[in-house]
Amino acid sequence: MIVTIDGPAGAGKSSVARRLAARLGFRFLDTGAMYRAVAWAATRRAISWDDDHAIEDLAARLPLTFDGQRVLVGDQDVTESIRSPEVTAVTRHVADNVRARAHLVDLQRRLACGQDIVTEGRDQGTVAFPDAACKFFLTASPAERARRRQAELAARGQPVTLADVLAQQEQRDQRDQTRAVGALAPAPDARIVPTDGMTLDQVVDQLESLVRAYLPQAQP
Ligand code: C5P
């Protein structure tokens, strides 16, 4: 069974998806980590952001694997490095590359094949898994999302002002929503879940009960 969770940056998708997957005993797929890992690798190889073909080629060939909570490129653990502000700033060059996206969506489908999985990103319910059994679209107000992001960065030792987070968030939202392929949008059959004022566990409780209603053993 495939559960998709899409939504804008800072809506809490990653934490919710991870915890929901753990509760259900499903695998968890962080698709943003894929775009980030390709961007990280492109930076390491000094690939020009104008070289669409080289970015596509890298997305097709990068030995990207997930080991529990860790993201690996070859045998190198890049879990932390792909979340740096430097990588965040350039990941759009990979996300905007239509052919690189096709390779990563293909990888997402291969990883999900035959699995019970919770997958999160921007286009999981629309492009990657249009036939998924359960689709959610998490939202929160811009101010709430920025506060969460600021707290997350502070916990990682990367203090930033709320005004800076808000400005960057606005730019990312704009790019995510206007991308030619894989744009951020709820699938027509996705359930919209506003999360303002809710704790992580409250959101997960809500999603868990909805997913459990779809599980075979819950059916009469
Ligand atoms: O979710 P996260 O912030 O880690 O995603 C990194 C970037 O990758 C986002 O800015 C988004 O534009 C892009 N992305 C995407 N499609 C996905 C997941 C992430 O375009 N399925």
Side-chain angles (χ1 to χ4, degrees), residues 153-166:
L153 288 171
R156 274 203 209 111
Q158 298 164 5
V160 273
T161 67
L162 197 60
D164 280 350
V165 180
L166 262 169

Side-chain angles (χ1 to χ4, degrees), residues 9 13 30-33 35-36 83 91 95 101 108 120-124 172 176 179 182:
K13 300 180 302 291
D30 173 358
T31 64
Y35 292 90
R36 288 173 179 274
R83 310 243 151 240
T91 300
R101 291 196 78 86
Q108 290 154 23
E120 67 99 346
R122 305 293 189 287
D123 59 348
Q124 298 301 283
R172 283 180 79 191
D176 282 350
R179 183 163 290 134

Side-chain angles (χ1 to χ4, degrees), residues 41-91:
T43 308
R44 299 273 297 211
R45 288 162 176 73
I47 289 174
S48 160
W49 296 123
D50 294 328
D51 192 344
D52 287 343
H53 185 72
I55 297 169
E56 178 201 345
D57 200 49
L58 189 59
R61 290 164 193 274
L62 197 68
L64 182 59
T65 52
F66 292 86
D67 176 17
Q69 310 257 341
R70 298 185 313 145
V71 185
L72 304 175
V73 171
D75 55 10
Q76 188 166 1
D77 185 342
V78 298
T79 315
E80 289 302 320
S81 13
I82 62 171
R83 310 243 151 240
S84 71
E86 293 75 25
V87 172
T88 301
V90 294
T91 300

Side-chain angles (χ1 to χ4, degrees), residues 55-189:
I55 297 169
E56 178 201 345
D57 200 49
L58 189 59
R61 290 164 193 274
L62 197 68
L64 182 59
T65 52
F66 292 86
D67 176 17
Q69 310 257 341
R70 298 185 313 145
V71 185
L72 304 175
V73 171
D75 55 10
Q76 188 166 1
D77 185 342
V78 298
T79 315
E80 289 302 320
S81 13
I82 62 171
R83 310 243 151 240
S84 71
E86 293 75 25
V87 172
T88 301
V90 294
T91 300
R92 66 187 167 90
H93 296 289
V94 181
D96 287 342
N97 184 309
V98 174
R99 285 196 290 264
R101 291 196 78 86
H103 289 299
L104 296 181
V105 167
D106 187 51
L107 176 60
Q108 290 154 23
R109 290 180 182 151
R110 278 187 277 127
L111 290 172
C113 188
Q115 303 276 332
D116 286 324
I117 196 159
V118 178
T119 173
E120 67 99 346
R122 305 293 189 287
D123 59 348
Q124 298 301 283
T126 49
V127 175
F129 303 103
D131 298 328
C134 272
K135 299 182 185 177
F136 299 105
F137 192 85
L138 257 53
T139 64
S141 65
E144 171 112 8
R145 294 194 282 125
R147 274 195 299 273
R148 289 177 189 168
R149 177 83 182 137
Q150 188 189 33
E152 188 190 318
L153 288 171
R156 274 203 209 111
Q158 298 164 5
V160 273
T161 67
L162 197 60
D164 280 350
V165 180
L166 262 169
Q168 283 166 15
Q169 179 177 280
E170 222 168 90
Q171 281 183 5
R172 283 180 79 191
D173 284 354
Q174 167 76 9
R175 280 197 207 103
D176 282 350
Q177 285 160 358
T178 55
R179 183 163 290 134
V181 174
L184 171 70
D189 53 345

Side-chain angles (χ1 to χ4, degrees), residues 1 20 22-25 134 207-219:
M1 176 177 179
L20 179 66
R23 285 205 202 167
L24 294 166
C134 272
L207 267 52
E208 185 185 2
S209 57
L210 290 164
V211 175
R212 287 203 183 276
Y214 280 90
L215 289 175
Q217 64 267 30
Q219 284 166 3

